[in-house]
Amino acid sequence: MNKYMIFENSAHDIQVVKRGWSWPGFHFGWLWALFKGLPLLALFGISVIVVAYISCLLYLFHYGMQLILLALALSYLIQSVCCGMVGNKMMYRQLAKKGFELITVIPAHRPDIALRVYRQRRNEQNYQRLRFSQRQARLNIA
């Protein structure tokens, strides 16, 4: 079961981010980073692939197509592993810069389930606070 971090800002906007390894970041690399608004990670992924491509054209062209394909596959693997490892961590930092605070960590199978559990817990706490304040009001009146 995965652990999802629930972030909330002062306007009560809620963001859910998985803790740890990012499979979408691994599979889609720099495209995922660009879509998630992580320009530094996207730039890193693109630069790794471009550097590998240019070095293949300049240096490995004499050694044959197999070595070029191997170098390009290796560069894609490097940028995919980096996006998978640090993608979610960079999302935490980005949310903190935008004013979001970490509220809780909820174990769940999917992010929408974690969000539903968080909202249910928050509603229960608000209901308990309301009942307590109503009891206090009754005691103060009597």
Side-chain angles (χ1 to χ4, degrees):
M1 187 174 299
N2 298 319
K3 292 185 178 180
Y4 291 94
M5 301 173 81
I6 308 293
F7 291 88
E8 192 170 356
N9 66 3
S10 59
H12 300 292
D13 294 329
I14 300 171
Q15 294 287 326
V16 181
V17 179
K18 182 182 168 192
R19 178 187 253 178
W21 181 263
S22 171
W23 282 108
F26 175 76
H27 288 293
F28 299 107
W30 65 270
L31 284 173
W32 173 82
L34 198 60
F35 178 74
K36 288 294 186 176
L38 303 170
L40 292 176
L41 189 59
L43 185 62
F44 170 77
I46 292 170
S47 64
V48 166
I49 293 173
V50 167
V51 166
Y53 183 74
I54 290 172
S55 65
C56 286
L57 289 178
L58 294 177
Y59 301 110
L60 299 178
F61 187 70
H62 303 288
Y63 296 107
M65 195 64 172
Q66 292 84 6
L67 194 56
I68 291 174
L69 291 176
L70 180 68
L72 289 176
L74 184 64
S75 69
Y76 180 77
L77 182 65
I78 289 170
Q79 68 95 25
S80 292
V81 168
C82 288
C83 287
M85 284 176 46
V86 301
N88 287 340
K89 291 178 188 174
M90 291 183 80
M91 286 181 64
Y92 309 153
R93 290 186 189 127
Q94 180 188 31
L95 288 173
K97 286 179 184 176
K98 290 182 177 180
F100 283 82
E101 291 182 29
L102 175 64
I103 303 299
T104 186
V105 177
I106 297 177
H109 291 290
R110 296 189 329 240
D112 59 327
I113 295 172
L115 182 60
R116 191 172 350 143
V117 168
Y118 168 69
R119 285 184 173 155
Q120 183 179 7
R121 286 181 188 171
R122 188 176 65 177
N123 289 340
E124 287 172 2
Q125 288 173 350
N126 289 340
Y127 178 72
Q128 289 172 355
R129 279 191 220 126
L130 178 66
R131 300 238 346 170
F132 179 75
S133 64
Q134 288 173 346
R135 263 185 281 161
Q136 287 296 104
R138 276 188 237 128
L139 291 174
N140 291 338
I141 292 173

